[in-house]
Amino acid sequence: MIIRKLEKETDFEQFAEVSASAYIYNIEETEFEEDVDNFGAFINDGKTLISQMECSFRKSIYCQKPLICASVGGVASKPEYRRLGGVREIFNKVFTYSREKGAHISILFPFSIGYYRKFGYETIFSYINAECSFKVFERIERFSQLTLATIEHKDILSDIYKTLTLKNHMMFTRENGKDFCFEPYKKSKFTYFYSEENSKGYITFTPHRPTRTLNVEELLFTDKNVLAKLLGFLRMYEGNYDFVSFTKLPLNSPVFSIIGDENNLVKRTLHYGGSGRILDITAVLSANEYPMEKGSFSLKITDEQIPENNGIYTVEYENGVGTVRKNESDFYDLSLDAPAAARVLLGGEGLNADQISYIPNTEVKTDCKDFAKAFPARTTLFYDSF
């Protein structure tokens, strides 16, 4: 089996065929996206493409520090060539390639959590979609003094988003404003923002007249007062619309505290979002924000696909700074395989030793109190997908 990067000039026809067979895409709808590296697995001396994968790079903010993320998508195999190990071999290639490019982590949005767990990925973002009647907004004061974002507000909106990447966990950076909609009346997608000194936020929504619903796609805010203003702005639609639908709210979102639900009018559904994988354990441990108090722990990592991650890492921290070293000692407080490491180190759940012990392929040998202090609960948030 030959694994190599695909070239548009020579490989596009087969690339389109694999995409069409796996995703039911029309070949005419398939394209090589810019800034995306495509890898393929070939048999028959490199003549027949059987599996493929897309990989691109972006920044994810981890503890207010940028980590380079290898974004994986477009994983596909022709049905007649599945279970030949094509995808596994491509992953091995992509992991090596991504590390050479300086990537620290990888993120994908899986069709099957269990399938990608075999390659070291684990869910690091779960979210809530919520639907509610405007009746639950009755205790929120109406507020109309928001500004509709157009292209002239690109820098303001980018600044708000950047501020919130430092407040939340694992958000992707947005470098050039292309991820915002600045044509609200053409696309019926509206972003209204509030920005006054350190109090900032915005809300993006699409009205859906047939169901009389406002669909909120993004909701970012720095504090309670800004959130109240953003939700208060939605009340300006009351009468024209009956319902509000929120997507991708963090599990601990304060939205539910603000709107209340005394009459059980909010329907909530749990969803699994992005799955993460650590490509460079040392980089993640070094980027973590540590407590001011003194502490230390030793962590054993077992990684089948990336042997460079294997070993025991000792972290000593004080005054918010951690020192990471990889050592030959046999002592460790806990042991994690690659999926467990992704969940515990990237997911922001704030798990203690007892909770970690229930995760498959973990071993907890001490109370891990210093470790738990170093990885507290954090609000993890993904709005961008790929």
Side-chain angles (χ1 to χ4, degrees):
M1 189 176 296
I2 297 174
I3 311 298
R4 64 170 174 83
K5 189 181 294 188
L6 303 180
E7 301 295 336
K8 184 175 182 179
E9 292 75 15
T10 57
D11 301 316
F12 180 76
E13 183 176 353
Q14 289 199 75
F15 171 83
E17 290 177 355
V18 175
S19 298
S21 64
Y23 300 117
I24 322 299
Y25 288 158
N26 187 297
I27 288 182
E28 283 73 20
E29 297 174 344
T30 306
E31 60 181 358
F32 263 34
E33 297 184 30
E34 294 183 8
D35 302 321
V36 174
D37 296 314
N38 297 283
F39 291 87
F42 291 82
I43 59 172
N44 300 328
D45 296 326
K47 296 180 180 179
T48 303
L49 177 66
I50 65 171
S51 302
Q52 64 196 34
M53 184 183 303
E54 300 172 358
C55 178
S56 58
F57 299 93
R58 64 198 72 201
K59 294 179 182 178
S60 177
I61 302 301
Y62 177 85
C63 296
Q64 302 188 9
K65 303 178 185 70
L67 292 180
I68 304 302
C69 172
S71 305
V72 171
V75 181
S77 297
K78 278 192 170 182
E80 61 267 36
Y81 296 114
R82 292 180 180 178
R83 299 186 181 276
L84 295 182
V87 169
R88 179 174 294 278
E89 292 301 319
I90 297 176
F91 262 122
N92 291 336
K93 176 69 173 180
V94 167
F95 290 155
T96 300
Y97 177 78
S98 298
R99 284 173 56 89
E100 291 173 350
K101 287 282 190 177
H104 310 113
I105 61 173
S106 177
I107 290 174
L108 53 77
F109 294 88
F111 74 92
S112 166
I113 296 171
Y115 176 78
Y116 288 103
R117 187 176 288 137
K118 296 185 297 184
F119 308 109
Y121 290 86
E122 187 55 90
T123 301
I124 61 172
F125 174 49
S126 301
Y127 62 88
I128 292 175
N129 286 350
E131 300 174 2
C132 61
S133 164
F134 261 117
K135 292 180 181 179
V136 302
F137 280 69
E138 291 179 352
R139 69 184 191 185
I140 299 174
E141 183 178 353
R142 293 181 179 86
F143 185 82
S144 63
Q145 298 171 42
L146 299 185
T147 302
L148 176 64
T150 58
I151 190 62
E152 66 185 70
H153 303 111
K154 182 178 72 172
D155 291 342
I156 297 176
L157 214 62
S158 295
D159 176 67
I160 295 173
Y161 183 87
K162 183 178 180 180
T163 299
L164 271 302
T165 62
L166 301 179
K167 187 178 178 66
N168 292 292
H169 188 58
M170 299 303 297
M171 287 179 65
F172 293 116
T173 60
R174 294 180 176 177
E175 304 294 346
N176 51 22
K178 67 178 182 179
D179 295 295
F180 301 108
C181 177
F182 294 115
E183 298 180 309
Y185 299 113
K186 181 181 292 187
K187 298 184 178 180
S188 295
K189 184 175 181 178
F190 301 87
T191 297
Y192 282 86
F193 69 88
Y194 179 89
S195 181
E196 184 175 308
E197 296 182 351
N198 293 325
S199 294
K200 304 175 182 181
Y202 71 78
I203 186 167
T204 298
F205 58 89
T206 56
H208 190 248
R209 188 66 177 172
T211 58
R212 299 176 64 84
T213 301
L214 293 181
N215 295 302
V216 178
E217 299 179 11
E218 294 191 19
L219 179 61
L220 290 173
F221 47 89
T222 55
D223 54 57
K224 177 181 178 180
N225 290 330
V226 175
L227 174 58
K229 288 179 170 62
L230 297 176
L231 296 178
F233 184 80
L234 292 181
R235 284 203 69 189
M236 303 305 294
Y237 282 85
E238 195 172 18
N240 299 108
Y241 292 82
D242 297 330
F243 306 99
V244 178
S245 174
F246 296 96
T247 59
K248 292 190 176 180
L249 291 177
L251 302 186
N252 58 350
S253 174
V255 167
F256 302 113
S257 299
I258 296 294
I259 63 177
D261 188 19
E262 288 80 0
N263 298 310
N264 297 321
L265 296 176
V266 181
K267 178 184 177 181
R268 313 179 203 193
T269 55
L270 177 66
H271 299 264
Y272 295 107
S275 288
R277 199 220 194 279
I278 298 178
L279 304 178
D280 187 335
I281 289 288
T282 299
V284 171
L285 291 174
S286 298
N288 186 56
E289 181 180 1
Y290 290 96
M292 295 300 293
E293 62 188 281
K294 188 175 182 179
S296 65
F297 61 86
S298 290
L299 173 65
K300 180 179 179 180
I301 297 295
T302 303
D303 191 329
E304 294 183 2
Q305 286 85 20
I306 306 177
E308 293 87 349
N309 282 335
N310 289 328
I312 297 174
Y313 299 78
T314 296
V315 179
E316 298 177 337
Y317 61 80
E318 188 176 12
N319 298 322
V321 179
T323 300
V324 182
R325 72 175 188 274
K326 194 173 181 180
N327 54 65
E328 303 299 329
S329 169
D330 292 331
F331 171 80
Y332 53 89
D333 295 292
L334 72 162
S335 174
L336 307 172
D337 69 355
R343 176 179 173 181
V344 174
L345 303 183
L346 301 180
E349 294 182 74
L351 303 176
N352 59 34
D354 182 61
Q355 293 166 325
I356 293 173
S357 70
Y358 288 91
I359 300 175
N361 301 316
T362 63
E363 180 186 10
V364 179
K365 300 178 71 173
T366 70
D367 60 19
C368 297
K369 289 185 178 180
D370 285 351
F371 176 85
K373 291 176 183 177
F375 293 92
R378 292 162 174 155
T379 301
T380 305
L381 181 61
F382 291 111
Y383 275 129
D384 300 327
S385 57
F386 38 84

